[in-house]
Amino acid sequence: MTVALEVRTDSWPIAGGFTIARGSRTHAHVVTVTLREGPDTGRGECVPYARYGESVEGVMADIEKMGPEIERGLTREALQQAMPAGAARNALDCAFWDLEAKRSGVPAFRAAGVDTPHDMLTAFTISLGTPDKMAADTAKAKDRPLLKVKLGGDGDPARIAAVRQAAPDARLIVDANEAWSADTFAENMAACVAAGVELIEQPLPSDSDSILATLERPIPVCADESLHTSADLERLAPLYDAVNIKLDKTGGVTEALVLLEKARAMDFKVMVGCMLGTSLAMAPATLPAQQADYVDLDAPLLLERDREPGLVFSGSMISPPVADLWG
């Protein structure tokens, strides 16, 4: 039976906006893929990211080019060679996983080797701003067990101190999004040590992170923009202590699971993170997140509204997705 491809774009408003070191956003622009085979439907969502040279229009065009191949019987396994890693392949890969689950009756978790999925604690993101603004935002979220603090370079010691004062009992991780430099690394690291931060994401630009091999790392440092697929791990091993697996970078669940297994074998700590999308983008990421040290899949909590049905959040705990959403 022929599999038909549908592609569309959707825009979801962000509650209060979202700011990181590279800029601010008011909406999450996503691309949604639907694969139809008879009565069965599989869906996937991706978030094109300009940092990696992606746009909504370009990603949609790359996906639509695969339509004839899909009609001729392209499989999820063959997709891994047919497209490069990135957002476009992610949406298709996740839609294939969902379609396979729907037509077989075997949940995606079981197909991935997880018999009984468990609830997961997600980090909750504090957007970049002035120390006073970040303290005010943190005060509203101070009862959440794990906060992820966006930093921006200059002024970060004051930001992290303000956040810690506003949430004295929360666990903290920080994400600099490549905004630190070799000159500011030591001062910013010391501020994080003083605040009891337990993980620092991507402090330096990916094209100059080799200097991490020479810097003191009293807090584990996690690769995000420097990591895309399992092929990157050998280079990163001397530089980083942890890796952030995102499906829009790996090109889907299939490679994410390969990356997870290899990272574990190399003794990396593992975070499973996300771009700013809906529950349809988060749901497939809950597969590798079952084995992660850190989970950062809070994007639906940052939107004004989400897909229905969406993931179920109880505070910062995420329940595995229902089949009507994905998998």
Side-chain angles (χ1 to χ4, degrees):
M1 190 175 293
T2 301
V3 177
L5 168 68
E6 299 174 11
V7 190
R8 59 175 288 175
T9 181
D10 299 288
S11 183
W12 300 82
I14 301 167
F18 184 76
T19 301
I20 66 171
R22 277 188 290 274
S24 300
R25 301 167 62 188
T26 59
H27 288 73
H29 301 292
V30 309
V31 174
T32 306
V33 163
T34 303
L35 297 178
R36 301 187 188 277
E37 184 181 37
D40 299 313
T41 298
R43 298 188 303 161
E45 176 185 307
C46 69
V47 184
Y49 201 36
R51 166 67 179 78
Y52 304 130
E54 297 173 337
S55 67
V56 168
E57 297 76 15
V59 164
M60 290 183 71
D62 288 343
I63 293 170
E64 287 166 347
K65 288 176 186 175
M66 300 306 297
E69 293 296 324
I70 291 169
E71 290 182 1
R72 287 193 288 268
L74 181 75
T75 64
R76 175 171 58 83
E77 292 76 15
L79 176 69
Q80 310 308 308
Q81 285 71 50
M83 298 185 78
R89 193 177 80 187
N90 176 37
L92 278 171
D93 182 79
C94 292
F96 270 116
W97 273 86
D98 192 26
L99 180 61
E100 291 165 14
K102 297 299 193 294
R103 65 189 176 193
S104 69
V106 177
F109 275 101
R110 193 163 300 156
V114 179
D115 289 332
T116 307
H118 56 76
D119 291 357
M120 294 145 283
L121 172 70
T122 181
F124 183 81
T125 302
I126 303 300
S127 192
L128 177 66
T130 65
D132 287 346
K133 175 65 164 59
M134 294 179 72
D137 291 344
T138 300
K140 299 173 186 176
K142 66 182 177 63
D143 293 330
R144 292 185 180 272
L146 180 63
L147 299 179
K148 176 172 174 172
V149 183
K150 291 290 188 178
L151 297 180
D154 291 342
D156 280 348
R159 292 186 181 100
I160 193 61
V163 167
R164 171 48 81 201
Q165 185 173 7
D169 298 324
R171 296 166 57 204
L172 299 182
I173 56 180
V174 303
D175 184 2
N177 287 115
E178 305 180 280
W180 293 4
S181 68
D183 293 336
T184 62
F185 186 91
E187 180 187 10
N188 290 337
M189 175 65 78
C192 288
V193 170
V197 170
E198 57 187 77
L199 188 74
I200 298 172
E201 272 189 78
Q202 197 69 40
L204 301 176
S206 63
D207 61 2
S208 59
D209 63 357
S210 58
I211 197 173
L212 285 170
T214 68
L215 298 175
E216 294 284 338
R217 303 200 301 264
I219 298 172
V221 175
C222 178
D224 182 359
E225 284 86 348
S226 290
L227 172 80
H228 291 259
T229 69
S230 56
D232 298 318
L233 289 176
E234 294 292 341
R235 185 189 80 83
L236 301 180
L239 311 178
Y240 292 93
D241 312 288
V243 292
N244 188 347
I245 299 173
K246 294 179 179 175
L247 303 192
D248 278 314
K249 296 187 300 176
T250 65
V253 176
T254 303
E255 169 60 21
L257 293 173
V258 173
L259 173 54
L260 172 69
E261 182 177 5
K262 186 173 179 180
R264 285 291 191 203
M266 296 176 67
D267 293 325
F268 283 103
K269 292 284 189 181
V270 172
M271 173 188 286
V272 172
C274 64
M275 305 302 186
L276 198 50
T278 75
S279 282
L280 181 57
M282 305 304 113
T286 62
L287 269 68
Q290 291 286 301
Q291 301 179 57
D293 300 289
Y294 296 92
V295 176
D296 179 28
L297 299 177
D298 66 333
L301 297 176
L302 307 178
L303 302 178
E304 287 186 5
R305 55 186 174 82
D306 191 14
R307 295 184 190 267
E308 296 183 3
L311 286 173
V312 175
F313 290 84
S314 177
S316 292
M317 297 300 295
I318 312 173
S319 296
V322 297
D324 285 349
L325 171 60
W326 185 87

